[in-house]
Structure formats: structure tokens, C-alpha cells
């Protein structure tokens, strides 16, 4: 089976543009949401962790006659960084694929058009346009695929990217996720009563829901043999295992017993050949919603053995908010950096940890306790995915 390495990273988020800004933001452990700059956001809690306008460099209005929406703009910028970081040149374009996970795609474009009085003839923007825009920008002639199973989308997408490489369908996959503000997504969560009025507070006793964030995390994945043959400048981590499952329980709520999220975790660990003592850090789904955090905490204790209080969790959404379809890819970028730098950044402080969430959230930087990292992502519809990364070169 072909080993799959992460050889390039690109990220844009509420913390800024680029991996260095991302890491500096994680290390600072401070982040504050703000009101979305949309006069038509007529809802009770229009708060979000938005990407600063200054962080997004100028980009073309579109490719191939299609307009570039918010998610596509974030994805193209993060892909540009990842490809540059990987030193990816001279690879036959038909051997390069693109897989992008996104929940809402460029649906914000339709809201802009409607606010301006309607669309022009021919204007359209389906969810799959995000992968198409990245493929068009880069000239990738392998499979261009968008995955859109809600907030687990980019986790499933990264797993699909690994399969494309292992099957020999591609040597390189530009893969990750992107999510941008859309009125419909924020309004739906307002109607569900699932928005925290203060900030995203996973595992906090006083949490009252989640808060959305914008962002994109894009990686260059390639077979180890291909990376060696072209003398790739670095490998951040190996994608060692993935596990999928579905609760088949409820449209929006996780199955309270956590049976299927445990199955996804165990499947990923088994494929990686990693025991629970090997896991040195967990980047949980951790949305800040009451049931999700409680169920995930309990299952982490069950799956990882003697109690997760000995394994550091890194609660990324406390800084970025819930970035929807991009959440798993941003968590994977964070996990790859944690393994590469051998440092778990400090978690954003909690007011009071929920006693039902018996997890270890260190408030200071520390070394990961093993050579593997576990990333979880869950979604409406009961879609669950876990990924296991391993230190490169191990």
C-alpha cells in the first residue's frame, strides 16, 4: 500500500493568511468573533469568526467564465500556498487530482446576486464549483471532486484523496476544504437555537452552542515514492489511517451512545496500526454544542483506553469557530503542524470545564505524548470520519 505524505500546506482563517500566521494565532490562544459585515443578516445572533478582508490577496474575478465566490476565493488562495510550499512543479497535470470538501460552496454568491436584484443570464454557482475553480487555477487534469456531506466534508475528502493515490489514480492530490459566510447557513443555525451568543466554547460548562467561522485548509498529498523521486522539500506528516461511519439516527443530533463515532475512530487507528498509547494529541470535532462535546468526550475515553486525561486535546474551534465543511481540513493542518513542530499549542482558556467532558485541555504548550495525532469530524446526517496522522519519517 502506498504511503501518503502531506508535503505542502496552505491555510487562511480568522487568524490570518498563511501557515505562520495560523501557528502564531494558535500559540497566542486568543480570538474574538465579530458581527458579519452583511446588512441583510437580519437574525438574532449575526456573529462569526470571519477571515479579515486584509488577509485575502487580490484574485481574478473567475475562471472559465464562472464567477469566483467566497469559498472558492479562500480555496484558491490556500491551494496556491500549499502548491508553492510543496515546490510542486514539473508533475504531469493528468497525474494531479483535486478534492475539496465544502458544506455550502459558493452559495453566498446567490445571496449577493439576489440582494442586487437578481442574477444575470448564465450566472450560477453549484457546490462542486469550488473544486473546479481550484482545478482550473492549477490546471489539474486528474479527477476534480467536491465532497459536500456537511461539516465532515473535508475529512471525507482527505480520505478520498488518499484512496486516489493508493489506487494509482493520481500521484498528487491538492486536497482540503473551504467554507465562507453565507446568510442561509448562519440563519439556519439561528433558527435551530445553536448559536452561542459569546464565543465558541467547546467543553465549557457554560457553552450555549457553536459559532461559525470562515476559512480554508488545503494540503498537497502525494505518494511517498513520488515525493522521494522529485526530492520534495519536506513532509509534514503521513496520513496513516481513516475511518468512516454513519449514525443513521437523526438529521441534526448525534447518536447519544456514540457507537458509530467510536467505530470510525477504531477503524482509523487500526488502519494506521496505532494503539491508544501511540496517540500523542487529539484535535476533536468539539463544536461547543452540548451533546456533541459530551458524547465525543465519553467515546475518546472508551476508545483511547485508560482515560483521555493523559492525552492532550487541542480544541481548534475555540479560536476559529466551526468552519463547516472546512473544519476537518483545518484540524488536519493543525495536527500536521503539531507533529511537525512537536508542540501542542495552549488551549484557549475555559471559564469552567464541563465535568461531563472528562478530557485533557492543557492551558500551556507541551510536547505531544506520542507520534500519532487523531482528528475527528462529525456532521448533520450522522456522518462521521476520523483521520490518523503519523510523524513523517517514522
Amino acid at each position: 500500500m502506498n504511503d501518503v505524505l502531506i508535503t505542502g500546506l496552505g491555510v487562511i482563517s480568522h487568524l490570518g493568511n498563511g501557515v505562520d500566521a495560523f501557528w502564531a494565532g494558535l500559540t497566542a490562544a486568543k480570538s474574538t468573533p465579530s458581527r458579519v459585515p452583511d446588512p441583510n443578516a437580519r437574525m438574532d445572533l449575526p456573529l462569526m469568526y470571519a477571515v479579515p478582508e486584509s488577509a485575502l490577496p487580490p484574485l481574478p474575478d473567475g475562471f472559465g467564465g464562472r464567477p469566483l465566490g467566497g469559498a472558492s476565493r479562500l480555496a484558491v488562495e490556500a491551494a496556491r500556498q500549499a502548491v508553492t510550499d510543496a515546490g510542486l512543479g514539473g508533475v504531469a497535470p493528468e497525474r494531479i487530482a483535486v478534492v475539496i470538501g465544502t458544506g455550502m460552496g459558493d452559495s453566498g454568491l446567490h445571496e449577493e446576486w439576489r440582494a442586487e436584484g437578481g442574477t444575470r443570464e448564465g450566472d450560477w454557482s453549484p457546490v462542486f464549483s469550488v473544486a473546479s475553480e481550484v482545478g482550473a487555477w492549477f490546471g489539474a487534469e486528474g479527477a476534480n471532486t467536491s465532497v459536500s456531506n456537511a461539516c465532515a466534508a473535508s475529512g471525507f475528502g482527505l480520505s478520498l484523496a488518499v484512496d486516489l493515490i493508493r489506487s494509482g489514480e493520481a500521484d498528487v492530490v491538492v486536497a482540503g476544504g473551504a467554507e465562507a459566510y453565507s446568510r442561509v447557513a448562519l440563519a439556519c443555525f439561528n433558527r435551530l437555537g445553536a448559536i452561542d451568543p459569546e464565543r465558541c466554547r467547546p467543553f465549557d460548562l457554560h457553552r450555549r452552542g457553536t459559532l461559525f467561522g470562515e476559512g480554508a485548509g488545503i494540503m498537497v498529498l502525494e505518494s511517498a515514492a513520488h515525493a522521494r523521486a522529485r526530492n520534495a522539500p519536506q513532509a509534514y506528516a503521513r496520513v496513516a489511517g481513516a475511518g468512516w461511519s454513519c449514525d443513521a439516527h437523526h438529521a441534526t443530533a448525534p447518536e447519544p451512545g456514540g457507537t458509530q463515532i467510536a467505530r470510525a475512530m477504531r477503524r482509523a487507528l487500526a488502519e494506521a496500526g496505532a494503539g491508544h498509547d501511540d496517540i500523542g494529541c487529539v484535535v476533536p470535532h468539539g463544536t461547543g454544542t452540548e451533546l456533541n462535546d459530551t458524547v465525543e468526550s465519553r467515546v475518546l475515553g472508551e476508545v483511547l483506553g485508560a482515560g483521555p486525561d493523559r492525552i492532550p486535546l487541542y480544541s481548534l474551534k475555540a479560536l476559529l469557530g466551526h468552519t463547516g465543511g472546512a473544519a476537518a481540513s483545518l484540524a488536519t493542518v493543525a495536527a500536521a503542524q503539531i507533529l511537525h513542530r512537536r508542540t501542542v499549542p495552549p488551549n484557549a482558556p475555559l471559564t469552567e470545564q464541563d465535568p461531563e467532558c472528562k478530557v485533557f485541555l492543557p492551558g500551556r504548550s507541551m510536547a505531544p505524548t506520542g507520534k500519532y495525532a487523531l482528528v475527528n469530524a462529525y456532521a448533520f446526517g450522522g456522518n462521521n470520519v476520523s483521520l490518523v496522522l503519523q510523524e513523517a519519517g517514522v
Side-chain angles (χ1 to χ4, degrees), residues 201-252:
R201 297 178 283 182
F203 309 109
D204 193 302
L205 178 63
H206 307 290
R207 66 193 185 279
R208 293 173 59 185
T210 195
L211 265 181
F212 279 121
E214 293 179 304
I218 304 291
M219 284 150 273
V220 171
L221 271 55
E222 62 183 306
S223 72
H226 191 269
R228 283 193 298 270
R230 72 175 185 88
N231 294 316
Q234 71 275 309
Y236 293 102
R238 171 178 172 250
V239 187
W244 300 2
S245 71
C246 182
D247 291 353
H249 170 72
H250 190 273
T252 59

Side-chain angles (χ1 to χ4, degrees), residues 322-384:
H322 191 345
T323 49
S329 64
L330 286 159
T332 303
V333 171
Q337 284 287 289
I338 287 169
L339 292 178
H340 184 63
R341 296 174 186 258
R342 294 291 303 156
T343 302
V344 182
N347 278 280
L350 299 181
T351 305
E352 182 179 4
Q353 186 165 340
D354 186 345
E356 294 297 316
C357 299
K358 296 180 176 59
V359 292
F360 178 31
L361 295 159
R364 58 178 176 76
S365 296
M366 61 177 287
T369 56
K371 297 183 184 302
Y372 292 79
L374 173 69
V375 175
N376 291 331
Y378 310 131
F380 281 177
N383 292 296
N384 310 306

Side-chain angles (χ1 to χ4, degrees), residues 194-205:
I195 299 290
D196 192 304
E198 295 185 19
R199 58 188 177 91
C200 194
R201 297 178 283 182
F203 309 109
D204 193 302
L205 178 63

Side-chain angles (χ1 to χ4, degrees), residues 15 22-31 199 314 318-319 345-349 362-363:
L15 302 177
F22 186 64
W23 187 255
L26 302 189
T27 303
K30 294 179 181 176
S31 181
R199 58 188 177 91
Y314 185 64
L319 297 176
N347 278 280

Side-chain angles (χ1 to χ4, degrees), residues 268-279:
L269 290 167
E271 186 172 286
H276 49 69
D277 289 337
D278 298 320
I279 298 300

